[in-house]
Each structure stands twice: as C-alpha cells, then as structure tokens.
Amino acid sequence: MVLYDSATLGGSCSGSSSSSSSSKPPPLQQRQQTQQDIDGLLAGAGYRVRSSELRKVAQRLERLETAMVNSPADLSQLASDTIHYNPSDLASWVDSLLSEFTQPPTCPSEFIMDPETNQTVVSDAWTTAEPHMPQVHQNISYEQQSLNNQLTVVTAMEEDSGIRLVHMLMTCAECVQRGDFSLATSCLEDMQGLLTRVNTVCGIGKVAGHFIDALSRRIFQGIGGGTINGGSAYENEILYHHFYEACPYLKFAHFTANQAILEAFDGHDCVHVVDFNLMHGLQWPALIQALALRPGGPPLLRLTGIGPPSPDGRDSLREIGLRLAELARSVNVRFAFRGVAASRLEDVKPWMLQVNPKESVAVNSIMQLHRLLGSDLNRNSPIETVLSWIRSLNPKIMTVVEQEANHNQPGFLDRFTEALHYYSTMFDSLEACTVQPHKALAEIYIQREIANVVSCEGSARVERHEPLSKWRTRLSGAGFRPLHLGSNAYKQASMLLTLFSAEGYSVEENDGCLTLGWHSRPLIAASAWQAVSDGTADFPA
Amino acid sequence: MVQTHHCEDHETVGENKEKRPKFFINDHVDILIEILKRLDGRSLCVAASVCRLWCTIARNDSLWENLCFRHVSPPPSSVRSVVLALGGYKRLYTGCVRPVRSRLGRMRKASWAGDEVQLSLSLFCVDYYERLGGSNSNGRLVGESSPSSLMFLCKPVNV
C-alpha cells in the first residue's frame, strides 16, 4: 500500500489540488486552463477531457484498472458483448466501462464518485470528506486489492475504515506535536476501536497498527525508548538475519558494496576492510569468494569487524571471525580477523583498528552512519568526529548504504508523515515474501525501527535516516568525493532483483549511486566515496 | 570377454557363436560419460536412477561442472578448487545455477551468462557460510533453521 503524495494527507492541509503523481498514463498536467475547456495536452493525444474533470477521470481510470485486474472473467465478457462508447471522450468512456464492473449485490454501499461534487454519493460515515481524500482512498484500495487475492471485493466499510485510520493517525500525530495529549489519547482509543474493523493481517491495517503502538508508546511511556531500545544484541542479530532473508534490501546493500570494494582493491595485495556493523558477517563470504577468484590471485585480506559487546561472556565477534576464517581457508585466501567491541560507533577510535600504512583500506557502513546524527550539545557532533577519523585512515573506498528517507526532521508531524509513507511501502514489499518465519521476524525488525522513529527523542532516537541528497552534501563537506558505482554493480543488482519472485522491486541509478525501491519509490541507497587527498594524510599511531 | 559375458544374459550359450554381439552402452563407459555430459540437469538426475553404474557416473562432479559452465567461456582453473571447497558442482548447480538461470531466463541477455554464474557462485558461497554456522553452532543460533539464504530461490510450488 503506497501513499503517494504526502501533501494529500494531514489534517491541516488545504484542499487544493495536488500534483497527480499517482495517475496512470497519460500523465496529467494540473495547469488551470480557464480559457479552454478541453485539456490541451490530452487533445494532442486524441482524448477530449475537460480540464476540470482531469482528476476525477484519473481516479476512475485507476478504479477501472483495479476492477479489471481483479475480475478477469468479466473482462472477457466485456470484450465480446459490450457497447463501447467513443473512447476519445475519456470521461464517459471510463464511466461506461466502470458501470460494467458493478459490485455484487452483497455489497450495496458502493463508492460512486459524484461527478459534480467529487464526494462519495453512497456512504454512511463520510460526513466531512475532504476533497483530496478520495485520491488516497483509490491508492489504498488499489494496493489492498492487489495484496488480497482472495478478497476481490473490498467492502466499502473496510475502505472507509482504512481511510479513517490514516486520517486519525495524522490527527493524533498533530496533537502530539502540539502537546495536546488528552486529545491524542482519545484519538488513540478511537483508532484502536477502528482497528478491530479493519483487516490487520496485511495492508494498511497492519502498518497502522504498528504506528498506533508507537504513538501510544510515546504518549504513555515517554520518549526515552524504554523496552524498544532494550533489545539485546543477540535478538537484534536474529531479527537482522531474518530481515536479510525476507527481502532483498540487505542483499542489495551487501552485493553492491562488495562489488565497489572489489573494484577498488584491484591490483592491491594487502587489503583491509573495516565493517561498522558485523552482525553475522553475511556480507563477507561473497567478497572472500570474489577475491579468491580474481585474476592474479587473492590478496591478503584483513577484516576488522565492529559490533556491540556481548553481555554474557560469549565473544560473538570472535565466533563470526572464526567462521569467516574457516571459509577463507577453504578457498585459499589468506585472512586475518579482528573484532572491535563498542556499543556506539563514536566510541571507536582509529587506533583500535590497527591500520597498517602499507595496506589499502575500505570502510563499509551499512545503515550505521545515521545513528551518529543525534546531536549532543555538550560535545562535538559525533558524525563529524567519525567522518574525520575515517578520512585520516585515507581509505581507498568508503561504501555507504543508508535508508532513503527523511526521518530526521525536527518537526514531529513531518517525520511521522514521512515514516508512514516509507514504512507502508516497505511493508507492501514485504507482503511478497512468503517464507516464514523470515517474514514475521522481519516485520518485527521493521516495527522496532518504526517505534524508534516515532516514539523516541534525543539520544534514544537512533534511527535518524536522511535521504541521499543530504548525505551527499554532508560527505562532500567532510572531505569526500563520490565514486561512481559502475555498470557491473548495476547489472549485478538488477540480476539479484530479478531472482526475487516479487515483481515490484526496481533498481535505479542516481548520479553514480544505486537505489533499490518498491514500485519506483526508492527505499535504500548505496553510494561509494573516497577521501579527497590534501597531501596531509596521516595515519593514527 | 565382457561382450560374451553380457551375451550370456540374453541368449543360451549354444547360440553365442552364431549371433552378432549386441552393443551394450554400459560396456563403453567413456562414451556413456560423453553422452551424459550433454544432458540437462533434470535428465541427468533421471539418468542417475537407471542403474548403479549410471548413478555412479552421474554423481561425478565433472559432469555437473560441464552443466554449470556450458554456455559460458571456460572459467579459470582456480574456480574448480573454490567450488569443490564450497560443496561441489552438483550442489552449485541444483542450489544456485539452475534456479538463477530459470528465473533470469525471462529477461536474459546473452552477455549475462557469465554474470549469472558469478552471481550463483556468490550466493553459493553465502550458503556455504550459513551451513558452517549451522554445524558449528554452540547454541548461538538456537531456533535457526538450516541454511536459508537460498530459500528465496525456491518457488513455493516446486516439483
């Protein structure tokens, strides 16, 4: 379920028409053509549509597509014995086709868009429907229908509840931002009541459920994080692993970063990789294998893995290192591992990494840099500290993979809205995964992120995602220049995605960086950087 | 000598000298290998259930190596040692190359053949690594099912 345009949501938004980015081709321009009644662009394509009716026609086209997708039997009937009206009169044509797909009598309260007022004609709960809401309704019901293959008829009641849920989530978030907790609490109760009437197994019900939880956490437990941030490192590793298996985002990140590192290490015999978050070390077998098979033979590979300390005396970093060493031994790659246990990345000092001046260094950060963006006024900004010591290592390449989202805005409502869009898209993509228990645990992994973004503040909020454009500015300002990822990485990423059975993933190239998204909404971005040499590269003692 | 031995299976001893000896493929293992080398994966598996000799031959990893690199220019020799260390060509083919090829078949470009094998090798390596974890677990991965990184290559209904 994708909420396309953030401007359409939010209780305080004006009702003016927003860009119709969600309409299906032909693309519509929202220019107000007061003089000419017929839209000029569509007329060029052979369609006569009044400018005032553009959005309505677009919505109906979407409904028609949804109906066609979900009832193939009717489609063949349609092809054989229906009178088709003149298709160049797009408005009446789509109306006539839509009337062929009338809902069965069991669902009498059909949503019919009244052409004049653009309000729903038959509806029991919509008294103050805002003009822009139907657009959201279309999008949600489209996605919900594509998700529930069994439910070919989405009841009007459920569509209605889904919309109301989103509406109320925004209202509640706005109350929280204003500090009006009593109203927020009553909103929460209403939403929890609504949840019982909505399908929470998938679609908007599920995502809304998580956001409602996060909001209630914020209101009742405060912004300190509490139990959400208290998950043990061991738990986190397990959830991370399941997230790795359930959807391709982490695989994309690993493979793309490995390809960049492989290309950067070409011709070097002594290489050192610093991994900012080792976890189970799932990224490195592929790199070890690629190095083993590279023309000219494998180099000496050193890997330094940073990770949280294990509480119960187990040295999980060392165990992973041993496993990787065994793999490297099997494929005849000289390998050395070092583990650095640190609960926060800013606690790591460059001397702990023991970088040898003669070796080529690669720094690999998979979704770690954003954790450093929380600013503590008492000390130096941690991101600047870390970026400066990375630079002092003079790495051959630094691979950065981050979530492509704007979850670090100061305003709570903006952040909430962004997160709602982002995680709805992500849950949408997760629906395609059918392998349990990966899917369920991956959802818990994402749910924890949601809870952190929504319910925490200050130092407890570590999920401070920023979009690629902001990272570009930040890294360029810190003395790094971008490296283009190249066509091999793109090819590999495209192949990897094709392997996943879901058809909605898309890889895009963005000025030398690669992004992976669901239905053209990028969700994760991979980029590569190199320190700008200024002649004074120094190595830590 | 082998010929007469097999003839005895089918005819009485007295007729041996009169009949022309039959050609029995199992007598010519080298030809058999050449033929089996050219089969596709499924046929090779079927061939493995014909008789013990064919089963032994079909288990020979070099046949599967041929299958993996059939449409690709011959790989450097170092690949063999790596693949054998990670579990062998048969496992590589059935676990990675075949599903990758069939999934990518829809939008395959000729130039991708080599990259398909590269990708398969990488996935194979991750799978080996996970199998290592499963066998070495000191209770650390309690509750984890056995290697799962290739699960996404399995279709839900796979005959």
Side-chain angles (χ1 to χ4, degrees):
Chain A
M1 171 216 61
V2 178
L3 304 174
Y4 289 100
D5 197 337
S6 57
T8 63
L9 295 179
S12 51
C13 259
S14 66
S16 60
S17 63
S18 47
S19 70
S20 48
S21 53
S22 55
S23 24
K24 300 287 180 273
L28 304 178
Q29 299 279 332
Q30 288 286 355
R31 292 174 298 149
Q32 302 302 320
Q33 296 199 312
T34 47
Q35 300 186 325
Q36 239 184 324
D37 206 25
I38 306 291
D39 180 84
L41 275 176
L42 283 176
Y47 294 99
R48 296 172 54 80
V49 185
R50 289 209 285 277
S51 307
S52 49
E53 291 185 335
L54 281 176
R55 189 165 68 211
K56 181 205 72 163
V57 171
Q59 288 163 358
R60 294 206 194 188
L61 280 171
E62 281 192 65
R63 281 194 71 200
L64 181 61
E65 183 183 11
T66 314
M68 281 175 149
V69 162
N70 284 301
S71 48
D74 293 345
L75 197 59
S76 54
Q77 191 184 19
L78 200 65
S80 55
D81 56 9
T82 318
I83 302 169
H84 290 291
Y85 296 101
N86 179 15
S88 69
D89 183 3
L90 203 53
S92 49
W93 177 83
V94 70
D95 286 346
S96 73
L97 273 185
L98 262 180
S99 63
E100 302 293 330
F101 288 100
T102 48
Q103 309 248 346
T106 53
C107 193
S109 55
E110 181 195 349
F111 265 87
I112 301 171
M113 295 296 175
D114 184 78
E116 263 62 75
T117 63
N118 214 16
Q119 299 263 343
T120 53
V121 170
V122 179
S123 161
D124 37 308
W126 281 51
T127 48
T128 55
E130 286 158 51
H132 53 260
M133 288 310 275
Q135 189 174 5
V136 177
H137 143 67
Q138 294 300 342
N139 300 339
I140 292 177
S141 66
Y142 170 78
E143 293 300 330
Q144 206 169 11
Q145 285 184 359
S146 65
L147 290 172
N148 304 349
N149 290 327
Q150 309 92 338
L151 265 179
T152 52
V153 173
V154 180
T155 62
M157 181 67 114
E158 213 173 279
E159 284 176 343
D160 169 43
S161 302
I163 303 306
R164 291 190 73 206
L165 259 182
V166 174
H167 195 49
M168 293 179 74
L169 275 171
M170 308 310 293
T171 315
C172 188
E174 203 203 352
C175 297
V176 169
Q177 172 167 284
R178 274 181 307 164
D180 187 352
F181 288 108
S182 54
L183 186 54
T185 314
S186 72
C187 238
L188 264 182
E189 285 161 11
D190 290 343
M191 285 197 283
Q192 270 149 0
L194 251 189
L195 263 188
T196 59
R197 286 189 277 158
V198 174
N199 181 6
T200 52
V201 171
C202 60
I204 189 169
K206 181 192 271 185
V207 180
H210 293 319
F211 275 88
I212 291 170
D213 279 342
L215 277 173
S216 70
R217 223 177 263 275
R218 188 186 180 101
I219 293 172
F220 298 121
Q221 292 177 24
I223 53 177
T227 51
I228 262 298
N229 282 356
S232 73
Y234 175 60
E235 270 176 31
N236 282 344
E237 282 178 15
I238 301 282
L239 292 177
Y240 188 85
H241 193 165
H242 285 277
F243 182 62
Y244 176 87
E245 304 294 355
C247 40
Y249 303 109
L250 288 180
K251 288 195 178 79
F252 162 78
H254 292 175
F255 275 71
T256 309
N258 283 345
Q259 182 68 28
I261 295 175
L262 188 68
E263 286 171 9
F265 279 166
D266 194 21
H268 294 85
D269 288 323
C270 224
V271 300
H272 185 173
V273 177
V274 179
D275 188 359
F276 277 359
N277 189 19
L278 187 65
M279 286 289 180
H280 285 166
L282 286 167
Q283 179 172 355
W284 306 116
L287 182 67
I288 293 174
Q289 172 258 313
L291 286 173
L293 291 179
R294 74 169 188 178
L300 165 64
L301 171 66
R302 287 183 55 209
L303 174 66
T304 301
I306 300 176
S310 358
D312 50 356
R314 291 184 303 112
D315 194 349
S316 58
L317 285 174
R318 190 166 164 274
E319 283 171 17
I320 300 293
L322 284 175
R323 249 214 279 176
L324 286 169
E326 192 180 326
L327 173 82
R329 198 181 42 80
S330 313
V331 298
N332 276 328
V333 174
R334 291 168 295 155
F335 180 78
F337 176 82
R338 186 177 167 76
V340 174
S343 45
R344 293 178 316 175
L345 195 52
E346 57 250 43
D347 296 335
V348 175
K349 303 283 178 289
W351 58 262
M352 298 177 188
L353 306 174
Q354 297 202 335
V355 170
N356 195 321
K358 292 205 197 74
E359 58 193 8
S360 314
V361 177
V363 175
N364 180 70
S365 158
I366 309 279
M367 308 196 302
Q368 294 305 301
L369 288 185
H370 65 253
R371 295 166 167 259
L372 303 170
L373 292 177
S375 56
D376 192 346
L377 296 171
N378 300 335
R379 49 204 179 100
N380 281 338
S381 143
I383 181 76
E384 285 171 19
T385 319
V386 172
L387 284 178
S388 74
W389 67 246
I390 293 177
R391 208 162 156 253
S392 73
L393 295 177
N394 199 18
K396 205 92 189 45
I397 187 169
M398 173 170 73
T399 48
V400 174
V401 178
E402 286 288 330
Q403 288 96 332
E404 180 65 8
N406 202 356
H407 295 157
N408 200 19
Q409 297 160 85
F412 176 72
L413 184 59
D414 296 328
R415 217 161 67 221
F416 186 85
T417 317
E418 252 299 302
L420 191 55
H421 283 88
Y422 181 83
Y423 287 107
S424 312
T425 316
M426 187 166 271
F427 267 95
D428 211 21
S429 72
L430 201 54
E431 285 301 322
C433 167
T434 50
V435 185
Q436 297 286 7
H438 297 316
K439 182 175 169 187
L441 292 173
E443 284 176 8
I444 297 181
Y445 176 84
I446 302 175
Q447 189 187 350
R448 285 197 178 180
E449 266 187 31
I450 294 175
N452 193 279
V453 173
V454 172
S455 67
C456 296
E457 288 297 339
S459 56
R461 178 155 65 93
V462 292
E463 301 293 341
R464 295 175 180 262
H465 311 146
E466 285 194 346
L468 184 58
S469 46
K470 280 200 181 162
W471 282 111
R472 281 208 175 109
T473 319
R474 198 184 286 278
L475 287 170
S476 306
F480 291 90
R481 66 178 178 88
L483 290 175
H484 277 222
L485 283 175
S487 58
N488 280 336
Y490 182 83
K491 206 170 15 168
Q492 185 179 237
S494 309
M495 280 173 57
L496 188 64
L497 283 191
T498 319
L499 295 178
F500 274 81
S501 42
E503 301 261 333
Y505 293 108
S506 58
V507 180
E508 275 156 26
E509 195 256 348
N510 181 341
D511 204 11
C513 306
L514 290 184
T515 60
L516 170 59
W518 175 257
H519 280 135
S520 76
R521 155 85 211 231
L523 292 177
I524 191 168
S527 54
W529 302 84
Q530 193 176 41
V532 170
S533 61
D534 51 8
T536 58
D538 53 316
F539 295 100
Chain B
M1 282 187 55
V2 180
Q3 246 173 336
T4 29
H5 167 75
H6 280 289
C7 281
E8 275 173 47
D9 287 346
H10 303 292
E11 290 136 327
T12 60
V13 178
E15 294 168 4
N16 272 356
K17 296 158 194 151
E18 311 302 331
K19 291 262 183 176
R20 231 176 10 163
K22 281 187 180 175
F23 177 82
F24 197 55
I25 185 64
N26 279 9
D27 304 335
H28 308 272
V29 178
D30 48 349
I31 299 181
L32 183 55
I33 291 179
E34 285 299 316
I35 296 175
L36 291 180
K37 247 196 222 174
R38 286 156 171 78
L39 288 179
D40 62 291
R42 191 172 180 278
S43 308
L44 200 49
C45 291
V46 169
S49 23
V50 166
C51 66
R52 273 201 216 113
L53 176 66
W54 285 38
C55 188
T56 317
I57 294 177
R59 271 207 221 111
N60 189 336
D61 225 25
S62 61
L63 285 179
W64 296 92
E65 176 179 359
N66 221 307
L67 204 50
C68 287
F69 292 113
R70 185 165 290 173
H71 305 293
V72 181
S73 55
S77 50
S78 49
V79 173
R80 180 175 297 157
S81 56
V82 168
V83 175
L84 290 179
L86 298 179
Y89 280 99
K90 183 172 182 193
R91 200 181 181 115
L92 171 63
Y93 182 77
T94 50
C96 300
V97 175
R98 192 181 58 81
V100 167
R101 263 191 203 151
S102 68
R103 293 272 176 104
L104 292 181
R106 291 172 261 148
M107 38 175 304
R108 188 172 313 118
K109 305 172 192 170
S111 57
W112 277 16
D115 300 302
E116 279 175 10
V117 182
Q118 290 286 348
L119 186 60
S120 311
L121 274 173
S122 303
L123 293 170
F124 190 52
C125 198
V126 179
D127 173 58
Y128 171 77
Y129 177 70
E130 287 191 322
R131 275 181 279 136
L132 269 184
S135 57
N136 291 356
S137 72
N138 310 324
R140 194 163 54 82
L141 295 174
V142 162
E144 291 271 310
S145 52
S146 57
S148 44
S149 83
L150 296 181
M151 283 289 283
F152 75 99
L153 287 176
C154 300
K155 294 186 185 151
V157 180
N158 200 0
V159 181

